[in-house]
């Protein structure tokens, strides 16, 4: 028993170290992106990062005050951090705070690098790198803060992917930026935010739902696979296969999008003749198992 406790402690420590390394990598990538593609294209990225840059430029242009990015970003994230700590998870929030602090530090300390002189290229590739940085943090059980906290909270409370709503919220920041500093910058920033949002939806799919309809001759074995692999339940329907006029069984289950790629090979291994239909699910109400963030 003592050896098992020691082993569990070591495993937990290693997981935390790995999470910390991924968070640091995501923060470094985000800081590099801001000091290269974002600054080079004179863009306003999404979320509180873009809002921090907007406030920073307002102070600089209209008050002649150079306020560090880190101060503004940390202040803006104070309230979302409280929401996350209360409703999403304590350890998740702590690692997210590490991400926010490191990203703010890297943004202030890294030198500016002009990789491209094409604003459109800066917007598209900057948006993609931004999505990669956020995805790394999400895979590590953390987030880049700000609107990510809000999107995750909304997704877990309402069972619906909220990234497109974040895109709409970012449009408000762009309207303000366009009015104050010129519409060209705001319009190019839309490319940045759209690329980032769509890439993030492809890279990180935990909060997307898919419906699986599985017609199988081994319903109990397939159900066991679904339950043990995802902790989701399933409903069994019995009917008649019209082609051979034989009794068939269909399992109905709603799972997270990132779980489908794991489930399908296991189902086909248990029943090579299984017919699997995967449908996009826009909204789920009722009891749905959500993997804990901590």
């Amino acid at each position: 028993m003592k050896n098992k406790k020691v082993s569990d402690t070591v495993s937990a420590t290693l997981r935390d170290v790995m999470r910390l390394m991924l968070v640091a990598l995501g923060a470094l990538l985000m800081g590099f992106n801001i000091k290269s593609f974002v600054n080079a294209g004179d863009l306003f990225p999404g979320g509180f990062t873009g809002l921090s840059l907007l406030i920073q430029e307002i102070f600089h242009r209209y008050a002649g005050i150079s306020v560090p990015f880190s101060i503004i970003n940390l202040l803006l994230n104070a309230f979302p951090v409280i929401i996350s700590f209360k409703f999403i998870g304590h350890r998740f929030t702590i690692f997210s705070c590490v991400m926010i602090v490191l990203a703010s530090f890297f943004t202030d300390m890294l030198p500016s690098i002009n990789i491209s002189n094409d604003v459109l290229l800066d917007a598209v590739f900057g948006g993609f790198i931004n999505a990669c940085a956020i995805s790394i943090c999400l895979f590590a059980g953390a987030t880049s803060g700000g609107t990510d906290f809000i999107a995750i909270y909304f997704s877990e409370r309402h069972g619906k992917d909220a990234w497109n709503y974040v895109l709409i919220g970012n449009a408000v920041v762009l309207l303000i930026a366009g009015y104050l500093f010129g519409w060209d910058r705001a319009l190019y920033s839309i490319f940045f935010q759209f690329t980032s949002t769509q890439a993030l939806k492809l890279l990180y799919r935990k909060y997307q739902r898919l419906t699986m309809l599985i017609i199988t001759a081994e319903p109990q074995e397939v159900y066991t696979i679904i339950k043990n692999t995802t902790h989701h339940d399933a409903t069994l329907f019995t009917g008649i296969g019209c082609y051979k006029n034989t009794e068939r069984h269909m399992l109905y289950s709603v799972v997270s999008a990132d779980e489908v790629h794991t489930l399908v090979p296991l189902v086909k291994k248990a029943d090579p003749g299984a017919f699997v239909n995967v449908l996009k699910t826009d909204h789920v109400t009722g009891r749905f198992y959500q993997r804990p963030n901590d």
Side-chain angles (χ1 to χ4, degrees):
M1 181 65 70
K2 184 177 180 180
N3 290 336
K4 185 178 185 302
K5 289 183 178 180
V6 173
S7 177
D8 291 343
T9 302
V10 172
S11 297
T13 302
L14 290 175
R15 284 196 300 269
D16 286 345
V17 171
M18 181 59 68
R19 289 178 71 178
L20 189 59
M21 291 174 63
L22 288 174
V23 165
L25 176 61
L28 180 61
L29 191 60
M30 182 164 289
F32 164 77
N33 190 39
I34 292 173
K35 297 306 288 282
S36 54
F37 291 102
V38 173
N39 285 354
D42 216 10
L43 303 170
F44 291 104
F48 281 16
T49 300
L51 184 58
S52 298
L53 291 172
L54 176 61
I55 295 173
Q56 188 180 38
E57 184 155 347
I58 289 174
F59 271 103
H60 179 72
R61 180 170 297 191
Y62 294 102
I65 302 174
S66 296
V67 182
F69 173 87
S70 55
I71 293 178
I72 302 173
N73 194 43
L74 293 175
L75 288 175
L76 288 177
N77 277 282
F79 182 67
V81 163
I82 295 174
I83 295 177
S84 176
F85 194 83
K86 184 175 181 180
F87 294 105
I88 300 178
H90 295 177
R91 292 170 62 79
F92 176 87
T93 305
I94 291 172
F95 280 101
S96 298
C97 288
V98 173
M99 164 63 187
I100 295 168
V101 172
L102 288 178
S104 300
F105 171 79
F106 287 136
T107 301
D108 281 335
M109 299 303 296
L110 288 175
S112 296
I113 304 173
N114 192 355
I115 295 177
S116 170
N117 294 319
D118 189 312
V119 181
L120 184 57
L121 289 177
D122 288 330
V124 173
F125 282 95
F128 179 75
I129 293 175
N130 185 65
C132 290
I134 295 174
S135 297
I136 289 172
C137 293
L138 291 172
F139 282 123
T143 182
S144 60
T147 52
D148 292 351
F149 281 134
I150 299 171
I152 292 172
Y153 170 75
F154 183 86
S155 297
E156 293 195 351
R157 299 283 286 190
H158 299 283
K160 191 173 183 180
D161 191 342
W163 299 113
N164 281 333
Y165 293 100
V166 172
L167 181 62
I168 294 173
N170 290 335
V172 176
V173 175
L174 294 182
L175 288 174
I176 297 173
Y179 178 77
L180 293 176
F181 305 116
W183 293 107
D184 283 352
R185 295 178 63 183
L187 293 175
Y188 276 117
S189 296
I190 291 176
F191 283 102
F192 179 98
Q193 295 189 12
F194 180 79
T195 302
S196 179
T197 302
Q198 298 308 310
L200 184 59
K201 289 178 67 177
L202 290 174
L203 293 171
Y204 191 75
R205 308 182 69 190
K206 177 181 176 181
Y207 296 106
Q208 298 174 35
R209 309 284 186 251
L210 294 177
T211 296
M212 297 187 71
L213 302 176
I214 305 171
I215 299 176
T216 176
E218 304 290 343
Q220 189 58 47
E221 188 173 351
V222 172
Y223 168 68
T224 301
I225 290 172
I226 295 173
K227 184 178 180 181
N228 292 343
T229 304
T230 69
H231 299 290
H232 295 302
D233 206 350
T235 301
L236 177 65
F237 297 90
T238 301
I240 301 296
C242 295
Y243 181 70
K244 293 185 176 181
N245 198 35
T246 55
E247 185 178 75
R248 302 290 283 170
H249 305 281
M250 184 180 76
L251 285 167
Y252 166 91
S253 184
V254 180
V255 301
S256 298
D258 60 346
E259 296 169 332
V260 171
H261 295 297
T262 303
L263 278 176
V264 172
L266 293 175
V267 170
K268 297 297 288 185
K269 183 178 180 180
D271 181 7
F275 182 86
V276 182
N277 187 13
V278 181
L279 307 174
K280 181 180 178 182
T281 302
D282 290 327
H283 187 63
V284 173
T285 58
R287 297 179 61 185
F288 181 86
Y289 175 77
Q290 183 66 58
R291 293 196 306 272
N293 290 296
D294 286 344

